[in-house]
Amino acid sequence: MQTIHERLRGLREDHDLSQEDIALLLGASQTMYSRYERGATDIPTRHLVVLCDFFNVSSDYLLGIHLDSRRKRGTPKYNLKRK
């Protein structure tokens, strides 16, 4: 399973863009964006939203979240009730 970092790099490379191109889009430095791709720094939500919009992907895809289609929407996956 790919990590968010691998997905970010893959999307960028699939579109023949440099880290500097994406950093400019985010208003960040190339060094900071490089840290996102390496997993050295967590991606802020505001940057996640811009990346999803730019690449036309869902945040679920980028984050690697796969929802079980058999579950009803809005039903928690885990039970938090105490015994």
Side-chain angles (χ1 to χ4, degrees), residues 2 7 13 33 37 45 51-53 57 59 63 67 71:
Q2 283 186 321
R7 283 191 171 96
E13 290 176 346
Y33 181 75
E37 281 193 7
T45 304
L51 290 166
C52 289
D53 189 45
V57 296
S59 57
L63 296 170
L67 299 177
R71 281 195 293 139

Side-chain angles (χ1 to χ4, degrees), residues 60 67-80:
D60 285 351
L67 299 177
D68 185 344
S69 62
R70 294 169 293 184
R71 281 195 293 139
K72 288 180 16 182
R73 185 179 183 111
T75 303
K77 182 175 182 178
Y78 304 104
N79 184 357
L80 298 179

Side-chain angles (χ1 to χ4, degrees), residues 11-68:
L11 285 167
R12 178 180 58 78
E13 290 176 346
D14 288 349
H15 289 82
D16 295 322
L17 298 168
S18 68
Q19 288 184 344
E20 194 167 313
D21 293 330
I22 301 300
L24 184 62
L25 171 74
L26 299 175
S29 68
Q30 180 275 327
T31 302
M32 180 57 71
Y33 181 75
S34 174
R35 290 179 187 151
Y36 297 163
E37 281 193 7
R38 289 192 330 264
T41 302
D42 288 335
I43 302 170
T45 304
R46 68 182 186 280
H47 287 175
L48 182 67
V49 170
V50 170
L51 290 166
C52 289
D53 189 45
F54 180 75
F55 289 118
N56 196 28
V57 296
S58 71
S59 57
D60 285 351
Y61 168 77
L62 205 53
L63 296 170
I65 297 171
H66 301 285
L67 299 177
D68 185 344

